[in-house]
Amino acid sequence: MVSLKREREVDLDDDDDNEDGAKVGRGHAVEDRRSRHCPYLDTINRSVLDFDFEKLCSISLSHINVYACLICGKYFQGRGLKSHAYTHSVQFTHHVFLNLHTLKFYCLPDNYEIIDSSLEDITYVLKPTFTKQHIAGLDKQGKLYRAYDGTTYLPGIVGLNNIKANDYANVVLQAFSNVPPLRNYFLEEENYRGIRRPPGDIMFLLVQRFGELMRKLWNPRNFKAHVSPHEMLQAVVLCSKKNFQITKQGDAVDFMTWFLNALHGALGGTKKKPSIITKAFQGYMRIFSKKLPHPDLPPEEKEALLTTDEYQEQMSESSFLFLTLDLPTAPLYKDEKEQLIIPQVPLFNILAKFNGSTEKEYKTYKENFLKRFQLTKLPPYLIFCIKRFTKNNFFVEKNPTIVNFPITNVDLREYLTEEAQATEKNTTYDLIANVVHDGKPTEGAYRIHVLHHIWKRQESNDGRNNHTGI
């Protein structure tokens, strides 16, 4: 008798989904009827559901076997007799729960599976999926969608929540989510699911979380018109060993550099083996470097050193994922109106660094070098980083120079070598995203402008066609 009772308790506490269908005969018919006709479906509150946060039990903080209460939106562990989800269902009369791993719905405390097609919108918000046809048409159709809360939004052009001071990471994630090859790769989980990583490697978590975030950003059936990058940023904190944090403002360029290289490595990429990161962003350049004699040496020694092999110009080939552009120094003194003039410079002026003839001196701790650069291969998507921040021994200084750049048809053919000019067919670029820093160097915040593909074609009174971006 004791043995039978204990066996019954194990059955009730067991969370294995196979137990639900183990009943036979009349019991199975009762179970099936309740599954199809659950009386509590009208108690589900979709407005409180938020699956962006880490899937942890709100009481035990365990991530094993977690269920979401669909009435209050909280997460609880298990569904057995002594579990937190069971206790919550009895205490607050909340009956409908969703297993966040198996995507199955259950009614507690009765403990039977709910089968109803009206719940598919909830599972799609938790785990959006995209077909190849849907992905292929993302750039062709610019359709506004309405979220459950009534707000209209464009998939892919939705806000990322600033949890505390993570805007430096948000702008980078938002920009990358609008690069078509990168977006299309991560929208289909099958593209990276089969990548093998060594045991104990945590870097692949970055790939999984970025894929989840990408699918949530491009979800056409969202319950709300914004996404929280909470899980993605927790993976960043873990994988970067706390170099980049949610609570502390960071540098967007430093984060982007780390993120690109970390993603490339986690996807199985090496210097010789490409990944989707290098296919989209990697270009090549020639670096001409010439060592300079120490400035304190006498002129005779300088001339003698310049004739040696060590001080001759040397050429090397290098790859790049982005190009750093240097700004001219900002004015130190105020003008006659007692105001600092903010200088302006065209983009092509600072691009002259890569024309193969402009030389710049680079100082290291011991030696000085004169370098010039020339591009040999352009990537499909080119990232420019305009260097605004300079650090010295006392503080960080921000260069306020305004860079004027065209939005479309930026032709970089003149910065290629003659051989590359003959082989490269496409050398013009259109702007996809632009990241801006506002405020003081140590305090300010980052903003991003993203190109989207919605246009209203309207006929004006004079018969001409005007294109107005929304």
Side-chain angles (χ1 to χ4, degrees), residues 18-76:
N18 295 329
E19 292 294 328
D20 294 327
K23 298 186 179 180
V24 293
R26 191 176 299 171
H28 179 74
V30 172
E31 190 82 355
D32 193 51
R33 188 160 55 245
R34 287 195 301 171
S35 294
R36 300 282 179 183
H37 302 91
C38 180
Y40 302 113
L41 292 185
D42 59 341
T43 62
I44 296 173
N45 186 3
R46 285 171 170 78
S47 60
V48 299
L49 299 183
D50 189 350
F51 301 121
D52 292 344
F53 290 93
E54 193 174 5
K55 311 299 185 289
L56 287 178
C57 173
S58 57
I59 296 173
S60 66
L61 300 182
S62 170
H63 61 272
I64 300 169
N65 203 23
V66 179
Y67 289 77
C69 173
L70 301 186
I71 288 82
C72 64
K74 293 179 182 176
Y75 296 163
F76 299 98

Side-chain angles (χ1 to χ4, degrees), residues 240-251:
S240 69
K241 298 178 181 176
K242 298 186 178 179
N243 285 332
F244 301 101
Q245 298 193 19
I246 301 173
T247 55
K248 187 181 176 184
Q249 183 67 277
D251 185 272

Side-chain angles (χ1 to χ4, degrees), residues 6-18:
R6 183 170 294 170
E7 194 173 316
R8 181 173 174 77
E9 282 180 3
V10 169
D11 277 351
L12 287 169
D13 281 326
D14 194 358
D15 286 326
D16 190 1
D17 298 325
N18 295 329

Side-chain angles (χ1 to χ4, degrees), residues 107-394:
C107 182
L108 295 180
D110 298 338
N111 202 10
Y112 61 84
E113 184 182 351
I114 300 170
I115 302 169
D116 198 292
S117 59
S118 67
L119 302 174
E120 286 179 5
D121 61 328
I122 296 175
T123 55
Y124 193 86
V125 167
L126 174 59
K127 194 172 183 180
T129 53
F130 293 82
T131 62
K132 283 182 167 58
Q133 292 80 8
H134 188 180
I135 294 171
L138 286 175
D139 290 329
K140 296 173 185 175
Q141 57 174 11
K143 182 181 175 184
L144 283 167
Y145 290 84
R146 190 175 295 277
Y148 181 79
D149 60 3
T151 54
T152 55
Y153 71 99
L154 262 174
I157 318 292
V158 294
L160 283 171
N161 292 349
N162 190 4
I163 299 167
K164 187 169 183 183
N166 55 283
D167 50 288
Y168 72 95
N170 284 4
V171 292
V172 174
L173 298 172
Q174 188 90 58
F176 286 156
S177 71
N178 282 274
V179 177
L182 207 61
R183 175 200 66 199
N184 297 349
Y185 181 85
F186 281 98
L187 285 181
E188 249 189 305
E189 197 176 353
E190 289 74 22
N191 289 332
Y192 57 85
R193 186 185 285 164
I195 294 174
R196 293 184 178 180
R197 300 296 298 164
D201 180 45
I202 60 169
M203 296 305 287
F204 194 68
L205 183 66
L206 207 63
V207 176
Q208 293 173 322
R209 293 289 180 260
F210 187 55
E212 289 169 10
L213 179 68
M214 190 79 78
R215 290 189 287 276
K216 286 176 181 176
L217 283 169
W218 285 91
N219 183 5
R221 293 157 60 182
N222 263 331
F223 284 170
K224 56 192 187 314
H226 57 88
V227 174
S228 178
H230 190 264
E231 285 189 289
M232 175 72 224
L233 293 171
Q234 282 193 319
V236 166
V237 173
L238 180 67
C239 295
S240 69
K241 298 178 181 176
K242 298 186 178 179
N243 285 332
F244 301 101
Q245 298 193 19
I246 301 173
T247 55
K248 187 181 176 184
Q249 183 67 277
D251 185 272
V253 177
D254 292 344
F255 172 71
M256 183 192 70
T257 307
W258 173 83
F259 187 65
L260 284 174
N261 287 292
L263 267 187
H264 174 62
L267 289 167
T270 59
K271 285 186 176 180
K272 294 182 179 179
K273 186 181 176 183
S275 70
I276 188 63
I277 302 297
T278 52
K279 287 175 184 175
F281 299 116
Q282 191 174 67
Y284 293 88
M285 68 165 76
R286 283 180 187 163
I287 303 173
F288 301 89
S289 180
K290 185 163 61 175
K291 189 176 178 182
L292 296 175
H294 196 278
D296 296 338
L297 291 174
E300 296 82 10
E301 284 190 40
K302 285 184 183 179
E303 289 178 9
L305 285 171
L306 288 172
T307 58
T308 60
D309 292 339
E310 187 184 352
Y311 289 84
Q312 299 304 308
E313 187 174 69
Q314 296 177 349
M315 187 197 77
S316 60
E317 295 270 352
S318 176
S319 61
F320 64 86
L321 291 175
F322 61 89
L323 296 176
T324 303
L325 304 179
D326 302 315
L327 289 172
T329 53
L332 293 173
Y333 304 105
K334 295 181 179 181
D335 61 0
E336 63 273 6
K337 295 181 181 178
E338 292 297 316
Q339 292 177 342
L340 278 172
I341 299 173
I342 297 177
Q344 298 189 26
V345 59
L347 176 68
F348 293 101
N349 282 20
I350 55 178
L351 271 174
K353 172 183 177 181
F354 298 100
N355 63 8
S357 57
T358 303
E359 293 182 322
K360 187 181 177 184
E361 188 175 345
Y362 290 84
K363 297 180 180 180
T364 62
Y365 182 68
K366 290 182 178 180
E367 301 166 327
N368 296 350
F369 290 91
L370 205 61
K371 292 185 179 182
R372 57 191 179 93
F373 308 90
Q374 193 167 24
L375 306 180
T376 56
K377 186 182 179 184
L378 290 169
Y381 292 84
L382 184 60
I383 303 172
F384 288 142
C385 291
I386 298 170
K387 195 174 178 182
R388 291 193 178 275
F389 301 106
T390 51
K391 294 179 182 178
N392 54 32
N393 294 332
F394 306 103

Side-chain angles (χ1 to χ4, degrees), residues 416-428:
L416 289 166
T417 58
E418 290 182 4
E419 310 92 65
Q421 285 184 21
T423 55
E424 287 274 351
K425 294 180 181 178
N426 302 318
T427 58
T428 57

